[in-house]
Amino acid sequence: MSNCIFCDILLGKIPSSVVHQDDSCIAFLDIQPVNPGHVLVIPNSHASNLAELDAGVASKLFTVAQRVAAALRESGEIRCEGVNLLLADGEAAGQEVFHVHLHVFPRFKGDGFGYKFPARYSDRPERSELDAVALAIRNRLRAAH
Ligand code: 5GP
Ligand code: ZN
């Protein structure tokens, strides 16, 4: 796709530091890592968001991410006490590059990365509210199947 920085990486138009490539996806270092060893796993075929992504390719992305996570933990050269996988789907979720990508990055105590929770996070919803939300999701899952 034109105007997609990750498609340009796939085409070799802009440089990248590749750690894995196969017939479904490529994994390369993020240009602005949270910590050294921050990898992005992306599909070879452009998909702007999760809904556009082929389910088989989605599972391959996760398999590669799992292998990258193991490599980060076992390299012996990258500081890695834990690993986060993160996928931002949509602008409101923090997606900035609209070619699906799964972040895999090493974590260690005191690395400065963290999540910010809303103030209401400390108020647990009632079970009835959780059940109503679960029902809405279940209904949609059934309808979409
Ligand atoms: P998002 O916020 O969409 O989940 O993440 C986009 C990621 O792509 C960011 O972490 C950003 O640093 C990374 N990124 C943006 N442009 C480039 C680039 O040209 N090369 C590489 N390797 N990563 C990029
Ligand atoms: Zn693309």
Side-chain angles (χ1 to χ4, degrees):
M1 187 189 170
S2 58
N3 292 332
C4 173
I5 195 112
F6 288 173
C7 281
D8 285 348
I9 284 178
L10 281 158
L11 291 168
K13 286 188 184 172
I14 57 171
S16 63
S17 300
V18 175
V19 301
H20 171 88
Q21 187 154 28
D22 61 37
D23 56 0
S24 309
C25 58
I26 185 171
F28 53 89
L29 292 185
D30 193 305
I31 205 169
Q32 197 173 352
V34 167
N35 284 318
H38 185 156
V39 168
L40 300 172
V41 189
I42 73 168
N44 289 342
S45 292
H46 182 89
S48 304
N49 53 48
L50 260 185
E52 281 180 15
L53 185 65
D54 174 83
V57 175
S59 70
K60 287 184 175 169
L61 289 189
F62 196 87
T63 299
V64 170
Q66 185 184 31
R67 289 181 55 209
V68 168
L72 291 170
R73 282 184 179 275
E74 294 161 10
S75 82
E77 296 177 46
I78 294 164
R79 190 161 178 203
C80 183
E81 297 166 6
V83 176
N84 275 135
L85 303 192
L86 190 150
L87 193 153
D89 188 44
E91 198 176 343
Q95 185 174 5
E96 289 179 349
V97 176
F98 288 83
H99 180 132
V100 173
H101 50 282
L102 182 54
H103 296 258
V104 187
F105 53 96
R107 299 293 312 278
F108 50 87
K109 285 206 178 88
D111 64 12
F113 183 83
Y115 302 102
K116 188 169 167 267
F117 293 99
R120 63 176 156 68
Y121 178 71
S122 54
D123 304 328
R124 285 193 179 198
E126 299 293 330
R127 174 61 52 196
S128 57
E129 189 182 333
L130 293 174
D131 284 346
V133 174
L135 179 64
I137 297 170
R138 239 177 11 246
N139 285 343
R140 184 59 210 160
L141 283 171
R142 276 203 211 98
H145 209 261

